[in-house]
Every structure is written in C-alpha cells, then in structure tokens.
Amino acid sequence: MIPDLILASSSSIRADMLRAAGLEIDTDSPRLDEDLLRAALLSDEASPRDIADALAEAKARKIAGKRPDMRVLGCDQVLEHDGVLFNKPQTKDEASDQIRQLRGKTHRLLSAAVLYEDGAPVWRHVGVARLTMRDLTDAFLQRYLARNWPDIGSSVGGYKLEKEGVRLFSRIQGDHFTILGLPLLELLNHLALTGAIDA
C-alpha cells in the first residue's frame, strides 16, 4: 500500500499520532546537523517561530529530495522562555537546571510542520502552546528526576506531558497535539481539504 505520507523524523510520538489518526505512513530520518542550522539561524537573529519552521522545512526538503514522488512531512519543536531557546538536556543535571529556570513561570512550545509534494513545499503551520509550571520544591524536583531520568532526556524542558511531566504544570494553553510536537488537527484539515485523505 502506498503511504499517505513519509514522516521525515525518527520521532515515535509523531509517528504514533499520525497512525492513530488513521494515516498510513513511512518514516525516514534525515541526516541533518540541526545544531549547526539552529546556530546559524540564531546568529541571524531569527525568531523562535522562524527557527522551528526552518528546521521542519530542512527535514522535509532533505527527504523530499530522495522521494519527490511522495508527500513528505517535516516537523520540529522549540521551547522558548524569556527569549532563550532550550535544547534537549544531555544529563540529569541539565534537566534539573532547565526545570529550575521554568518553574513558577510560563514558557512557549512552538511546533512546526512543513509538507512537501512533488519536491516542493505546499503547506506549513506553526502551532503555539503556553505552559505554566508550578513553583516546584527542590525536594519534589529531585524525586521527579530520580523517577524519570533518562526517559525525559529526549524532551526539551525535561518533561513529557503525556507522562508524569503533566504533574509539573498548573496551567496549559494550547492544543495537546502541538505540545506533543505536531499540529495534527491543522495537518489533517489540510489533507482532508485537498482530497489527500478521506473526509
């Protein structure tokens, strides 16, 4: 069966969301130096929104170059707090530092998606969610890290909202799928309106 699209990512969460929505997908993770691209964008003073969009497009473009006959979806998510972009924590101490910076405050998650068809971009969207973290005690934070490291190392901000990370928050404004890294409703609307999927 020909897939509805190729996800240019190794993200199991994004793949699971697309499959749960009834899409037939293949995955192909692009070889891309995201850190170098992000650093170049930051040096050009690109906004967090533009950085997320550019990284998503770079991933889609890379795979679409190999498979121009297919729809290819590139995605990226950035966490922005007080004008600073966070990276995925590499150690438990880094996760602790990130959460300490975020506790008691509101940060933004920006999830970008870019769709390529016939080797060219045809659709893009950046979803934005705002999350307010509780003012966690140091003792709770250490227990949380002990229970959840290294699993949370794959998530910027040191939390997974779909798991125990939800306990860190007092308020969430935004779409659940966007928080998980893919503006799924907007993508499905586009695919339905263009006749790419049954609707």
Side-chain angles (χ1 to χ4, degrees):
M1 179 179 286
I2 298 174
D4 295 308
L5 58 82
I6 297 174
L7 175 62
S9 172
S10 59
S11 167
S12 60
I13 291 176
R14 291 187 182 110
D16 288 347
M17 282 193 282
L18 291 165
R19 290 186 177 117
L23 299 184
E24 295 288 337
I25 69 163
D26 285 340
T27 61
D28 191 350
S29 184
R31 291 183 179 175
L32 192 69
D33 191 335
E34 292 185 49
D35 292 337
L36 184 63
L37 180 53
R38 183 188 299 246
L41 290 163
L42 285 169
S43 71
D44 287 341
E45 298 183 358
S47 69
R49 182 183 198 91
D50 289 342
I51 290 171
D53 179 74
L55 289 168
E57 179 161 0
K59 295 172 186 178
R61 183 173 57 246
K62 186 86 168 183
I63 300 304
K66 299 191 299 183
R67 297 293 306 274
D69 57 318
M70 295 295 301
R71 279 184 206 91
V72 178
L73 179 68
C75 304
D76 196 78
Q77 183 181 67
V78 300
L79 187 158
E80 181 269 330
H81 174 60
D82 283 346
V84 176
L85 294 187
F86 285 43
N87 295 315
K88 294 175 182 176
Q90 300 299 307
T91 66
K92 188 192 289 189
D93 286 342
E94 283 186 20
S96 177
D97 288 343
Q98 288 190 4
I99 294 170
R100 288 173 195 273
Q101 291 178 63
L102 298 174
R103 66 183 174 183
K105 299 175 184 171
T106 300
H107 65 270
R108 296 192 306 158
L109 288 176
L110 299 96
S111 292
V114 177
L115 188 67
Y116 266 58
E117 290 181 12
D118 299 319
V122 296
W123 175 86
R124 63 198 331 119
H125 182 80
V126 180
V128 181
R130 289 171 176 78
L131 295 85
T132 302
M133 194 174 281
R134 293 189 302 107
D135 193 7
L136 313 168
T137 65
D138 288 340
F140 173 82
L141 175 55
Q142 292 312 308
R143 292 193 299 272
Y144 166 79
L145 290 169
R147 289 190 298 268
N148 291 281
W149 186 264
D151 183 48
I152 56 173
S154 62
S155 298
V156 66
Y159 61 85
K160 289 188 175 181
L161 200 72
E162 68 275 21
K163 296 188 177 180
E164 189 184 344
V166 71
R167 292 174 56 183
L168 305 181
F169 295 93
S170 60
R171 181 175 172 83
I172 294 172
Q173 300 167 278
D175 179 83
H176 182 69
F177 301 112
T178 293
I179 294 167
L180 296 183
L182 171 63
L184 182 62
L185 295 178
E186 290 79 6
L187 172 65
L188 294 174
N189 286 337
H190 169 77
L191 294 174
L193 289 170
T194 58
I197 60 172
D198 185 36

